[in-house]
Amino acid sequence: MEPVTLTSERLILRPFAPEDTAAVHAACQEPDIPRWTNVPSPYGLRDARHFIGTVVPEGWRDDTAYSFAVLTRDGSTLVGAMGLVRLDRLHTAERQAELGFWTAKQQRGKGYTAEAARAVARWAFRDLGVERLEWIAEAGNEGSRAVARKVGFHLEGTLRAKLLHDGTRRDAWIGSLLPYDLHEYGEKGAKSEAGDGEPSGAGADPTPYLPYPR
């Protein structure tokens, strides 16, 4: 996948660049980020350089993770990181991906993370052909769950011993977002550098969905 840039009303989402190193390092000093994510702790400048210079470009190149730096629209402030991860099922008949993110402490409570998540979700559904987008977080991560609810994820339950963190298996919350969920929430189309033409991920017809009666 060639890296892309997305925009929303207040944000720009672009691939990480070397000039983001100091901001990423500073953000990851806040204890909640390594507590609830797989960010190393302690987090040094070397970790930030490795993430930006190696992990991010390899993820785009190898189709394992599509990571974006989330910035305010003028590009002056790093809000956080957002991306599609665990993409092993993206190019199979399952057409699934997982949304992952963290937010700098000073940028929380402004609605930025949910706004960025919607932009990535719209891109995933429209351009990549994703049919089920998952959100998974360690049980107890109330901030992440609040974002998922705001975006429109349907919370589906608790997965026992799903995650491994600091050598301990932890329970996880899981939710899903389907393409029509965004329409239910009145979302408008995403803007990307690819324009608004035919979705590049629309080569195959959508897989029929037969929900269980409730």
Side-chain angles (χ1 to χ4, degrees):
M1 168 67 69
E2 289 295 324
V4 303
T5 295
L6 309 175
T7 59
S8 64
E9 182 179 355
R10 299 179 295 166
L11 303 170
I12 181 168
L13 291 76
R14 60 158 173 76
F16 281 92
E19 57 265 29
D20 302 318
T21 301
V24 169
H25 174 257
C28 291
Q29 303 310 300
E30 200 272 314
D32 278 351
I33 293 179
R35 169 61 186 89
W36 296 112
T37 72
N38 58 4
V39 166
S41 180
Y43 194 86
L45 277 171
R46 180 177 296 180
D47 295 307
R49 294 190 188 104
H50 177 69
F51 172 70
I52 291 171
T54 301
V55 175
V56 170
E58 286 184 354
W60 285 97
R61 184 193 66 203
D62 300 336
D63 293 322
T64 55
Y66 302 150
S67 300
F68 296 92
V70 181
L71 301 104
T72 53
R73 195 64 185 264
D74 62 4
S76 64
T77 303
L78 179 72
V79 171
M82 177 77 59
L84 299 179
V85 299
R86 297 184 176 89
L87 298 179
D88 53 297
R89 295 178 294 172
L90 175 60
H91 299 295
T92 70
E94 296 184 59
R95 301 190 199 177
Q96 297 186 31
E98 181 182 329
L99 185 72
F101 52 84
W102 56 256
T103 308
K105 183 177 181 179
Q106 297 84 349
Q107 305 306 320
R108 296 172 191 167
K110 302 177 181 179
Y112 284 151
T113 308
E115 183 176 327
R118 292 187 193 102
V120 173
R122 290 191 296 263
W123 173 67
F125 293 144
R126 186 194 67 182
D127 289 6
L128 303 183
V130 170
E131 295 185 343
R132 174 184 163 92
L133 186 61
E134 292 185 339
W135 160 85
I136 297 176
E138 184 180 329
N141 190 343
E142 298 289 352
S144 184
R145 182 166 69 169
V147 170
R149 285 183 181 275
K150 190 171 183 179
V151 174
F153 278 86
H154 289 230
L155 304 187
E156 297 175 332
T158 300
L159 304 176
R160 297 188 302 159
K162 170 67 174 178
L163 302 178
L164 186 65
H165 187 85
D166 286 341
T168 304
R169 303 205 75 90
R170 312 288 180 97
D171 292 345
W173 289 329
I174 184 170
S176 69
L177 190 73
L178 306 183
Y180 71 83
D181 291 330
L182 287 182
H183 295 299
E184 287 184 353
Y185 279 72
E187 293 300 324
K188 298 178 180 179
K191 294 181 180 179
S192 75
E193 65 180 14
D196 294 324
E198 179 70 15
S200 61
D205 291 333
T207 308
Y209 171 40
L210 181 63
Y212 185 76
R214 301 190 181 193

